[in-house]
Amino acid sequence: MGESAASLLAGALEPGMRVVVADGAGAPTWLLGDLSEAARSVGEISLVLGWCLELPESFDPSAFADVRTVMGGFALRVMVAEGRVHYVPGRLRGVPSLLRGRLRPDLMLIALRREGDGWLWGSEVSWMRSVLDDGRTRLLVAENAALPRSSRELSIPLGRGTVVARRERPPLPHPAPAPAEEHRRLARHLAPFVPEGACLQYGPGPVADALADVLDVPVRVRSGIVTDAVARLHRRGLLLDVPVAAYLLGSDDLYAWGDGRAVTARVEQTHDPAVAGGRPLVSINTALEVDRTGAVNVESLGGRHVSGAGGHPDFALAGHVSAGGVSIVATLSSRRGSSTLVERLSGPVSTPRADVDVVVTERGSADLRGLDDTERAAALEELWSRPPS
């Protein structure tokens, strides 16, 4: 392109601007070093980050006047813990409102795929579509021909933004660890809560993969993230219609599977409580800790930052209010030798007890619906006291 990416970025910046960088497996985080260089040369640039799976060594938060993230954890975990990046807690469904208000960006840096007279969305849409809808935010494009054609969104006219880099870089591979026997036990206890034809939402990880292997009824997927577990359901003939999610995240095989399928959509659709369209929604999410009332912490342990709340509270609420649906928290009964059932959460309440219907571990399940706090505590203590089954 002639000029370096850092020079092109610096040419688009003015002191006092705020820049937001798109997130997910296809995000242009590889440009954060160039953006750091550009921000330092211009001065007084604020930065907003989302879900970062990796960061280049050249990324320097000190080059910016302020760095915030709407999704902690993953590659940002250490920087958040050190205070170099400020984690802004909240539901993922609320990020569009935040970026239209208090954290409205002047520029958005995003990776898109050029095709014909427009740019196509790739492995994620999420909150980025909402930022684009705000005509006040300029678009800086990292053109990437290796992104899958996996979006439900219309293409973006070429004149809407400015190309600052070109690179063929597939989305980051992020396969889940193979399920262990304890995950398979947990999945067997989960399966009876998933009725035929239901809409399934799940958090990524080995439990989802194990569930995809033991389910024996066809389901739809309406989730924050589509992972290899969905492709496994498809191969088994158990996937009804095209799944809908804000992100694709998984192996290279998953991105190839998603190419040509209209999967990814804006967060206002994927994380809406009515996403199931009147069908039962079974939401299955994990926990770092569960207290004896059923409240859940997914963000920190003992003061140590681990992750962001993300879509956990969005989908727990959606499953809880769904007719015929259910909000499930699925967690192993211990982690690194410590019980995941605690008297008091060591971190924030990411999802309140009122939105948790059932808790499932490798020991079985506790149905908390219709119980008061004393009864919920007894049911959870009884569950944790059982032997694995």
Side-chain angles (χ1 to χ4, degrees):
M1 290 182 62
E3 288 187 80
S4 69
S7 297
L8 290 168
L9 288 165
L13 296 175
E14 296 177 9
M17 279 186 167
R18 179 179 290 115
V19 181
V20 64
V21 179
D23 65 2
T29 49
W30 49 275
L31 282 171
L32 281 171
D34 298 285
L35 185 59
S36 299
E37 180 182 337
R40 182 176 286 106
S41 68
V42 174
E44 294 303 311
I45 302 299
S46 297
L47 177 65
V48 178
L49 298 170
W51 179 33
C52 294
L53 296 171
E54 72 168 15
L55 295 170
E57 291 184 5
S58 53
F59 171 55
D60 182 5
S62 70
F64 301 87
D66 181 73
V67 183
R68 297 181 181 269
T69 181
V70 295
M71 183 64 190
F74 291 84
L76 291 174
R77 184 174 296 150
V78 172
M79 291 183 179
V80 169
E82 294 172 344
R84 293 191 288 159
V85 175
H86 303 286
Y87 164 53
V88 180
R91 299 171 180 267
L92 190 60
R93 178 64 179 80
V95 170
S97 295
L98 188 62
L99 296 179
R100 285 192 295 264
R102 185 69 178 270
L103 294 184
R104 187 184 70 80
D106 301 286
L107 300 171
M108 178 166 69
L109 176 60
I110 187 171
L112 299 168
R113 175 177 182 142
R114 181 169 180 167
E115 195 155 304
D117 59 356
W119 283 306
L120 301 182
W121 298 84
S123 48
E124 48 272 323
V125 175
S126 190
W127 50 265
M128 285 79 80
R129 176 74 250 188
S130 304
V131 174
L132 185 62
D133 288 345
D134 184 346
R136 298 174 294 176
T137 301
R138 288 179 54 198
L139 194 64
L140 304 179
V141 178
E143 202 173 278
N144 186 351
L147 294 176
R149 306 170 184 85
S150 57
S151 172
R152 305 168 69 88
E153 291 288 328
L154 297 175
S155 63
I156 304 165
L158 294 181
R160 179 65 178 80
T162 303
V163 176
V164 294
R166 290 189 176 94
R167 186 173 179 180
E168 289 198 28
R169 187 179 191 269
L172 292 173
H174 195 82
E181 180 54 35
E182 56 192 359
H183 301 118
R184 295 187 184 95
R185 287 196 188 104
L186 197 159
R188 288 194 290 270
H189 293 301
L190 276 174
F193 290 99
V194 184
E196 180 175 349
C199 292
L200 178 65
Q201 178 271 330
Y202 64 92
V207 171
D209 281 346
L211 182 61
D213 290 336
V214 302
L215 272 182
D216 58 4
V217 296
V219 295
R220 296 169 175 84
V221 173
R222 303 289 185 268
S223 196
I225 304 172
V226 159
T227 66
D228 288 84
V230 174
R232 293 164 83 141
L233 289 172
H234 182 257
R235 287 194 296 270
R236 296 183 60 215
L238 296 178
L239 183 63
L240 299 173
D241 69 34
V242 178
V244 180
Y247 302 90
L248 278 178
L249 177 71
S251 66
D252 291 334
D253 289 341
L254 175 72
Y255 301 130
W257 178 87
D259 191 37
R261 288 184 166 91
V263 176
T264 55
R266 62 171 66 210
V267 73
E268 293 94 331
Q269 297 171 4
T270 59
H271 288 60
D272 190 294
V275 65
R279 300 183 180 92
L281 175 67
V282 178
S283 67
I284 301 172
N285 292 287
T286 189
L288 294 174
E289 299 174 321
V290 180
D291 77 11
R292 283 172 167 75
T293 69
V296 174
N297 164 29
V298 298
E299 296 171 74
S300 66
L301 277 175
R304 178 175 57 87
H305 176 75
V306 176
S307 186
H312 197 295
D314 293 315
F315 281 111
L317 172 62
H320 174 66
V321 302
S322 168
V326 61
S327 169
I328 300 173
V329 167
T331 181
L332 296 178
S333 60
S334 65
R335 179 177 289 103
R336 297 177 181 176
S338 296
S339 174
T340 48
L341 179 66
V342 296
E343 187 68 36
R344 178 175 295 179
L345 300 178
S346 67
V349 176
S350 308
T351 295
R353 70 193 194 287
D355 293 338
V356 177
D357 296 323
V358 175
V359 176
V360 179
T361 75
E362 77 282 9
R363 301 168 184 268
S365 62
D367 194 329
L368 308 181
R369 290 172 287 190
L371 305 185
D372 68 15
D373 283 344
T374 300
E375 293 166 330
R376 290 166 77 95
L380 290 169
E381 288 165 3
E382 192 277 328
L383 169 60
W384 256 258
S385 70
R386 299 178 205 166
S389 60

